[in-house]
Amino acid sequence: MLGTLVEMLSYSFMQRALLAGLFVAILAPLVGSFLVYRRMAFIGDTLAHVAFAGVAIGVYVRDGLGWGGVSPFLSALVVSALAALVIQFLADRTDAYNDVSMAIVLSGGFALGTVVISLTGGIAVSINQYIFGSISTVSWHHVRIMAALTALVGGVVAVSYKHLLYITFDESAARVARLDVDLQNSLLVVLTALVIVAAMQIMGVILVAAMLVVPVAAAGQIAPSFKASVLLSIVVAELSVFSGVTLSYTNDVAASGAIVLIAIGLYAAATVADRYVV
């Protein structure tokens, strides 16, 4: 096992993939913890599908229209952030995070992506890496971006932690205390969009939402407090990424799928431990 690990880490592309994945394992649970405890887990899946539309638009403009300077990641970020604000707008108007509203945004985003893809047959090939993830395409530039985003998101959460915590567990009281609840809600959904777009190269837009939810759900089974749950969810995500990337290397399976399946396995183990051991 040790020899296999040393061999894996001797390849530069595996070093890049593992580092990027480990940064995702910090980012996703850090933001996902607030989503899960606010019963907003569905928003991650919604924004992931909207990011697919953003990628499709970026790839079409770059490859289909020949505008080589356009980045699919930038277009995905812009489209996802706008969708996040639309969801927040709908939530403010209905005074709740309505599943129907998010389902409409989700289906609309995915439908837009499929329409854009159909405009040219060549896009379907190049867009697969964004849908399913591709560890071989992670560059050192992308790793540095992930490191910077981890520091940025971590800093924002640290500064806003008390307000986010207050709103997460008692939004009505937060409004009475005259906290800017709408601003904090908008901040949370935009951070979610940022994490999804940052993680989609290694996880793919289809599976990235799972990393926002599954590690947090696993930690929530056994953690004694919210803060402990956040920290433990990051540990679960790190173990899932490390094991999934290693399994991908040794057995030639999709890294993103392996990571999510391992995270689900850890959730099942935590559930059993909570019921029969703890």
Side-chain angles (χ1 to χ4, degrees), residues 100-113:
V100 173
S101 299
M102 284 191 280
I104 291 172
V105 175
L106 183 154
S107 56
F110 202 75
L112 176 62

Side-chain angles (χ1 to χ4, degrees), residues 244-267:
V245 171
T246 302
L247 189 64
S248 171
Y249 174 77
T250 56
N251 294 277
D252 194 26
V253 297
S256 56
I259 290 169
V260 173
L261 288 176
I262 290 170
I264 292 174
L266 292 173
Y267 167 74

Side-chain angles (χ1 to χ4, degrees), residues 38 160-185:
R38 295 196 63 186
S160 306
Y161 180 79
K162 289 184 179 180
H163 288 174
L164 288 172
L165 186 64
Y166 198 178
I167 294 169
T168 296
F169 290 99
D170 199 338
E171 182 173 317
S172 297
R175 290 187 183 277
V176 172
R178 296 186 177 181
L179 291 182
D180 194 339
V181 174
D182 293 338
L183 176 62
Q184 296 297 324
N185 285 336

Side-chain angles (χ1 to χ4, degrees), residues 13 60 74 90 93 103 116 123 133 136 162 164-165 168 231 247 254 274 278:
F13 79 96
Y60 174 68
L74 181 58
L90 294 174
R93 292 299 177 271
V116 173
I123 287 182
S136 62
K162 289 184 179 180
L164 288 172
L165 186 64
T168 296
L231 295 175
L247 189 64
D274 176 56
V278 179

Side-chain angles (χ1 to χ4, degrees), residues 103-257:
I104 291 172
V105 175
L106 183 154
S107 56
F110 202 75
L112 176 62
T114 57
V115 168
V116 173
I117 288 175
S118 68
L119 294 176
T120 173
I123 287 182
V125 175
S126 61
I127 206 170
N128 280 341
Q129 62 177 295
Y130 302 105
I131 298 177
F132 303 108
S134 176
I135 62 173
S136 62
T137 62
V138 176
S139 65
W140 284 116
H141 176 66
H142 187 69
V143 172
R144 288 191 290 271
I145 291 176
M146 292 298 299
L149 286 176
T150 301
L152 174 63
V153 173
V156 171
V157 171
V159 170
S160 306
Y161 180 79
K162 289 184 179 180
H163 288 174
L164 288 172
L165 186 64
Y166 198 178
I167 294 169
T168 296
F169 290 99
D170 199 338
E171 182 173 317
S172 297
R175 290 187 183 277
V176 172
R178 296 186 177 181
L179 291 182
D180 194 339
V181 174
D182 293 338
L183 176 62
Q184 296 297 324
N185 285 336
S186 298
L187 175 65
L188 183 59
V189 294
V190 170
L191 285 178
T192 303
L194 183 63
V195 170
I196 287 172
V197 173
M200 69 182 178
Q201 184 166 357
I202 189 168
M203 296 296 300
V205 296
I206 303 300
L207 294 176
V208 67
M211 292 304 289
L212 288 164
V213 176
V214 180
V216 179
Q221 299 299 311
I222 55 178
S225 66
F226 178 78
K227 184 174 290 187
S229 174
V230 173
L231 295 175
L232 186 56
S233 65
I234 292 175
V235 172
V236 171
E238 296 283 359
L239 287 173
S240 301
V241 167
F242 184 82
S243 302
V245 171
T246 302
L247 189 64
S248 171
Y249 174 77
T250 56
N251 294 277
D252 194 26
V253 297
S256 56

